[in-house]
């Protein structure tokens, strides 16, 4: 899909944008809104794509209604990345068009268009004058009445706070000083992060909001809480309030979903210090949210892990696994920047324990994930290679008791154009290699060592040999990261 950044004009060129250029950007964004996947070469993107007559009518209306120096924008976080959304917001069976953009003063706004008498016309304007960006946008029927509610998380400018505004299309618009119809929010809340979901399976959608409560002194850490709200009779109702950890810089994710075979829940993830992260899991039990993780019995008893985490359903069973990660063992003096991290994906059993679903190594630069074979668990480690060309990671045999280590294998990402030359050179060196995956212009291959050090004990040499037997298994263990 076309990169979101391609759809935004450079700020330094904002006042040079002509209406015709705005229209060109709108055309591309409508393509995104219709769900098309564009995979042509960059040169093809220079050509104006053909669009249907009804889309042309929307574009003409948008070009006419938006301020002269405006530019379309995409919220930082939204289910579908698009600047033009076609949604039936009032339940009358006809789609409205909701457009997000920066106005001539670089302030984010939304404009809603109605299709009336076979013509698209601007209907209402939605704005927050003190905002500098749209962090979150969600359009959802919160109470199942067929009417959509609009939630916008605005990032405040300078000393202005971040706010979550909730709008209902059932409210009567008012006219601003310029005579334009405006939709005012029904509710405005302090806002750090928000998400929607059905925590109790009653069919109604709840809004979960993390808010910063403020501090007494500027140098104090902020205090946070988590509040669940219901939407009833076109009004917001506070339902449940839960204190959350204040030992974080900020909360970056909130996930609704199933957290065990029999529990719904919420997972929070935030940043701590320069590199670490905090994770918490709450389960819905007996009409309350109960903190499940962190727990005292966990090795991560405080929920703090030394690098970023991203919990999700890794095995597709509908249950979210917690992402635990730790530095590869055996190399305590390795600088943080050069550390390799081993990931464990843990699923709560709904009672007292977490069960490991899988253990893997991810390289986000290459976008690959290597599932660790059972034969390696507890007796391997990883490290950076010694500047070896195309090497991604070195995998070592490691004995925790004796601290014996020796290179077992090396994972490579070789550009496809170079693969024949590299493979030929390896053959001349009598090096083994096996192709695991071809993706994104790279050949991912693994090369195993021939044998364990000859001065090792028979027991350790046997363990080393067992770890070498997984070569064929690794073909299905290396996958492309989809998140």
């Amino acid at each position: 899909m076309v990169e979101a950044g391609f759809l935004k004009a450079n700020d330094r060129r904002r006042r040079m944008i002509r209406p015709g250029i705005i229209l060109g950007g709108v055309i591309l964004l409508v393509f995104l809104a219709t769900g098309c996947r564009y995979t042509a070469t960059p040169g093809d993107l220079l050509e104006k794509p053909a669009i249907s007559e009804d889309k042309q009518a929307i574009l003409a209306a948008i070009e006419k209604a938006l301020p002269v120096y405006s530019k379309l924008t995409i919220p930082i976080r939204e289910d579908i990345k698009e600047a033009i959304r076609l949604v039936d917001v009032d339940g009358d069976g006809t789609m409205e068009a909701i457009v997000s953009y920066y106005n001539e003063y670089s302030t984010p706004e939304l404009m809603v268009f109605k299709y009336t008498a076979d013509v698209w016309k601007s209907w209402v304007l939605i704005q927050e004058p003190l905002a500098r960006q749209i962090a979150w946008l969600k359009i959802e029927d919160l109470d199942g009445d067929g009417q959509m509610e609009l939630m916008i998380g605005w990032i405040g400018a300078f000393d202005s706070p971040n706010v979550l505004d909730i709008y209902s299309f059932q409210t009567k618009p008012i006219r601003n000083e310029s005579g334009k119809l405006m939709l005012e929010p029904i509710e405005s809340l302090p806002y750090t992060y928000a998400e929607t979901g059905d925590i109790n399976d009653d069919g109604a959608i709840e809004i979960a909001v993390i808010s910063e409560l403020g501090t007494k002194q500027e140098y104090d850490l902020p205090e946070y809480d988590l509040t669940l709200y219901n939407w009833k009779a076109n009004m917001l109702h506070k339902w449940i309030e839960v204190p959350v950890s204040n030992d974080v810089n900020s909360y970056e994710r909130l996930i609704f979903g199933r957290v065990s075979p029999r529990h719904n829940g919420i997972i929070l993830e935030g940043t701590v210090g320069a590199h670490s992260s905090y994770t918490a899991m709450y389960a819905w039990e007996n009409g309350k949210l109960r903190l499940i993780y962190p727990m005292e019995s966990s090795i991560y008893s405080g929920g703090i892990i030394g690098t970023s985490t991203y919990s999700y359903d890794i095995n597709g069973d509908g249950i979210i696994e917690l992402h635990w990660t730790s530095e590869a063992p055996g190399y305590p003096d390795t600088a943080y920047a050069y550390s390799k991290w081993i990931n464990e994906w843990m699923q709560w059993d709904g009672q007292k324990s977490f069960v490991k679903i899988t253990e893997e190594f991810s390289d986000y630069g290459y976008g690959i994930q290597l599932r660790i074979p059972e034969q390696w668990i507890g007796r391997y480690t990883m490290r950076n290679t010694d500047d070896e060309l195309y090497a991604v990671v070195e995998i070592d045999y490691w004995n925790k008791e004796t601290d014996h280590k020796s290179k077992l294998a090396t994972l490579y990402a070789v550009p496809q154009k170079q693969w024949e030359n590299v493979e030929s050179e390896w053959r001349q060196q009598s090096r083994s290699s096996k192709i695991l995956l071809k993706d994104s212009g790279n050949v991912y291959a693994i090369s195993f060592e021939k044998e364990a050090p000859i001065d090792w004990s028979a027991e350790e040499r046997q363990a080393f040999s067992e770890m070498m037997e997984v070569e064929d298994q690794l073909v299905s263990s290396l996958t492309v990261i989809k998140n």
Side-chain angles (χ1 to χ4, degrees), residues 143 145 149 168 170 186 230-237:
D143 53 6
D145 66 350
E149 283 72 44
S168 171
Q170 299 180 60
I186 292 179
N230 287 321
W231 184 265
K232 296 179 180 178
N234 213 35
M235 292 180 62
L236 193 67
H237 302 269

Side-chain angles (χ1 to χ4, degrees), residues 213-276:
L213 303 180
T215 58
K216 296 180 180 178
Q217 302 292 335
E218 289 184 2
Y219 53 81
D220 287 341
L221 290 173
E223 297 180 0
Y224 298 97
D225 73 354
L226 169 64
T227 307
L228 289 183
Y229 295 90
N230 287 321
W231 184 265
K232 296 179 180 178
N234 213 35
M235 292 180 62
L236 193 67
H237 302 269
K238 181 183 286 189
W239 184 28
I240 295 171
E241 192 168 11
V242 180
V244 295
S245 175
N246 296 321
D247 297 329
V248 299
N249 300 340
S250 64
Y251 283 95
E252 304 292 335
R253 291 185 76 218
L254 187 159
I255 316 159
F256 275 90
R258 192 157 291 276
V259 296
S260 88
R262 59 187 184 88
H263 290 87
N264 288 338
I266 289 175
I267 295 173
L268 305 181
E269 291 179 336
T271 60
V272 178
H275 306 290
S276 301

Side-chain angles (χ1 to χ4, degrees), residues 39-76:
T39 58
T41 64
D44 294 330
L45 298 176
L46 299 176
E47 297 182 8
K48 179 178 176 180
I51 58 174
S52 59
E53 291 183 5
D54 59 333
K55 294 295 190 301
Q56 290 177 6
I58 297 174
L59 299 179
I62 292 173
E63 184 181 29
K64 182 179 179 180
L66 294 190
V68 174
Y69 295 111
S70 64
K71 61 179 181 180
L72 296 173
T73 184
I74 298 174
I76 294 174

Side-chain angles (χ1 to χ4, degrees), residues 340-358:
K340 294 300 183 183
W341 295 82
I342 296 170
N343 303 309
E344 295 179 300
W345 297 90
M346 311 297 293
Q347 186 178 107
W348 183 43
D349 65 2
Q351 298 177 7
K352 296 182 179 180
S353 302
F354 281 86
V355 179
K356 185 190 294 186
I357 298 301
T358 189

Side-chain angles (χ1 to χ4, degrees), residues 298-319:
S298 167
I299 59 172
Y300 306 114
S301 58
I304 296 176
I305 294 174
T307 189
S308 299
T309 57
Y310 193 92
S311 301
Y312 71 104
D313 177 13
I314 193 170
N315 61 347
D317 65 351
I319 301 171

Side-chain angles (χ1 to χ4, degrees), residues 139-169:
I139 306 167
E140 194 158 16
D141 183 358
L142 295 175
D143 53 6
D145 66 350
Q147 303 278 345
M148 293 292 181
E149 283 72 44
L150 172 65
M151 291 152 279
I152 305 177
W154 304 95
I155 297 179
F158 304 106
D159 294 331
S160 303
N162 298 343
V163 296
L164 173 63
D165 284 345
I166 304 176
Y167 303 83
S168 171
F169 292 99

